[in-house]
Amino acid sequence: MSPRLLLAAGFAALCATALPAQNLLVLSKTDTTLSIVDPLTLKVLARVPSGPDPHEIEASTDGKLAFISNYGGGAYNTITVVDLVAQKVLRTVDLGALRGPHGLMFAGGKIWFTAEAAKVIGSYDPATNQVDWVLGTGQNRTHMIWVSADLKRIVTSNVSSATLTFIDKTAGGGGRGPGGGPGGPGRGPGGPPPGAPGARGGGGGRGPQVDWEETIVPVGRGAEGFDVSPDGKELWAANAQDGTLSILDMASKKVTQTLTANVSGANRLKFTPDGKRVFVSTLNGPDVAVFDTATRAEIKRIPVGKGAAGILMQPDGARAFVACTPDDYVVTIDLKTLAVTTHLDAGKQPDGMAWAVRR
């Protein structure tokens, strides 16, 4: 590196604000920024460009990187990668034909994403700077994504198709690409590289093949925000057009109950860390609805403003953060009293939020 570049890098490092070990990340769609917030003082410590129309954000397990989907309803095709330590954009990932990236989840060292306009999901490996796996859903507006810790199950919500897709890793079948996708031989964690013994397409034998089985489950119209219970037994999905909640059994992949919940325009749904309650935000109303997961009954409507989108639970179960997009602020809600405690200014039209815990 030239002396000038070394000097510039050193200057950037000196200018970066020292961050606490745990940080709240908030996207502003209008300002196209990522705000890094101290969760104790609620002070914005730094702002970083997010790329166009930022909707969702996830942090790496070590808390050093953030990944932002640049959505645009299919107009854009990039994921912006931010170095949280240096507080700058590290790179912009061009997804090519995979337009409309939206839902994100970090698991197994990779960022998993939906590409709504392309009707696919995929994974991006920051270590190799490559999209290393893509799978079609055949559903309209594949929007949000959840990935199990063992990488053996993926769930997506498909807004216009009014479905959820369960995608399970299976043995046998024709496979999809070298090694059949992430985690299989020749691709993903735990498998040999292409050409090694046991890798498909290599000279050392075919080895066990891996495939993915998709189960499409009809739910309510406009299914978008969903979450899996902390114990992994249930999935709750909010249906924006019906104003209902679909409850699914994760083992059988079947709808067990549909609640008439009056959540028209529902945007996001989140379990509290203890799994006892579910929060539902809506862009069509002034309240966040709270439900008891045992009784399936509504507990309370919490006034937050003109409408709300992103919901983020504090890991210790003390607070919830709700992005009130039409009001240009984020509210904090005490999970014991179920009351709004404060407002946070993190840019205009806040939406996606995430935790970054540096390890």
Side-chain angles (χ1 to χ4, degrees):
M1 184 180 292
S2 70
R4 180 176 295 179
L5 290 177
L6 283 170
L7 181 61
F11 180 76
L14 288 173
C15 290
T17 302
L19 300 178
Q22 181 170 278
N23 297 279
L24 170 66
L25 309 179
V26 184
L27 295 178
S28 164
K29 293 195 287 189
T30 297
D31 297 340
T32 60
T33 57
L34 159 62
S35 290
I36 304 174
V37 181
D38 184 331
L40 295 179
T41 65
L42 297 183
K43 178 183 178 182
V44 176
L45 302 176
R47 283 191 169 93
V48 183
S50 64
D53 195 31
H55 272 239
E56 297 299 316
I57 181 168
E58 279 280 301
S60 58
T61 305
D62 61 10
K64 295 179 180 179
L65 298 177
F67 304 85
I68 301 167
S69 57
N70 303 123
Y71 175 55
Y76 303 123
N77 64 337
T78 57
I79 292 175
T80 299
V81 184
V82 173
D83 183 330
L84 294 174
V85 178
Q87 294 145 45
K88 65 178 184 179
V89 173
L90 182 63
R91 66 177 70 99
T92 300
V93 181
D94 187 341
L95 298 175
L98 307 183
R99 308 198 74 85
H102 190 274
L104 299 174
M105 185 165 181
F106 193 87
K110 302 179 183 183
I111 193 72
W112 303 71
F113 62 90
T114 64
E116 186 177 288
K119 301 182 182 181
V120 305
I121 60 173
S123 63
Y124 164 76
D125 188 343
T128 62
N129 190 28
Q130 290 184 340
V131 173
D132 60 3
W133 178 76
V134 174
L135 180 69
T137 64
Q139 299 294 289
N140 294 326
R141 290 196 64 202
T142 297
H143 199 64
M144 302 299 289
I145 189 169
W146 175 86
V147 182
S148 65
D150 62 7
L151 309 183
K152 292 183 178 180
R153 170 170 283 183
I154 303 168
V155 183
T156 69
S157 59
N158 312 297
V159 183
S160 297
S161 292
T163 61
L164 296 176
T165 303
F166 284 74
I167 305 165
D168 293 295
K169 182 180 288 187
T170 61
R176 301 182 189 274
R187 186 70 61 88
R200 292 185 66 214
R206 294 181 62 84
Q209 298 183 30
V210 175
D211 204 351
W212 293 87
E213 179 180 89
E214 298 188 8
T215 303
I216 298 171
V217 182
V219 287
R221 292 182 303 119
E224 183 174 338
F226 74 91
D227 198 12
V228 175
S229 61
D231 62 10
K233 293 181 179 180
E234 287 189 338
L235 182 153
W236 288 44
N239 307 312
Q241 295 175 34
D242 287 349
T244 61
L245 300 178
S246 297
I247 302 175
L248 290 82
D249 175 71
M250 288 289 284
S252 65
K253 297 179 281 189
K254 293 181 179 180
V255 175
T256 58
Q257 194 171 357
T258 300
L259 305 182
T260 303
N262 189 26
V263 288
S264 175
N267 189 262
R268 295 291 176 266
L269 180 150
K270 289 292 180 184
F271 280 89
T272 54
D274 61 10
K276 294 181 179 180
R277 293 170 177 170
V278 160
F279 279 50
V280 183
S281 64
T282 171
L283 288 169
N284 288 358
D287 305 318
V288 170
V290 185
F291 296 85
D292 184 289
T293 58
T295 65
R296 314 308 207 203
E298 181 181 310
I299 299 172
K300 188 175 182 179
R301 297 259 166 167
I302 305 172
V304 294
K306 299 174 185 176
I311 304 173
L312 183 68
M313 295 293 169
Q314 190 162 299
D316 64 4
R319 296 181 293 180
F321 293 81
V322 179
C324 302
T325 308
D327 299 285
D328 298 334
Y329 56 67
V330 175
V331 298
T332 62
I333 297 174
D334 187 303
L335 291 183
K336 291 183 179 179
T337 64
L338 297 182
V340 172
T341 55
T342 190
H343 293 66
L344 163 66
D345 177 10
K348 294 181 178 180
Q349 285 199 302
D351 191 0
M353 297 179 290
W355 288 106
V357 182
R358 195 167 64 254
R359 294 181 172 89

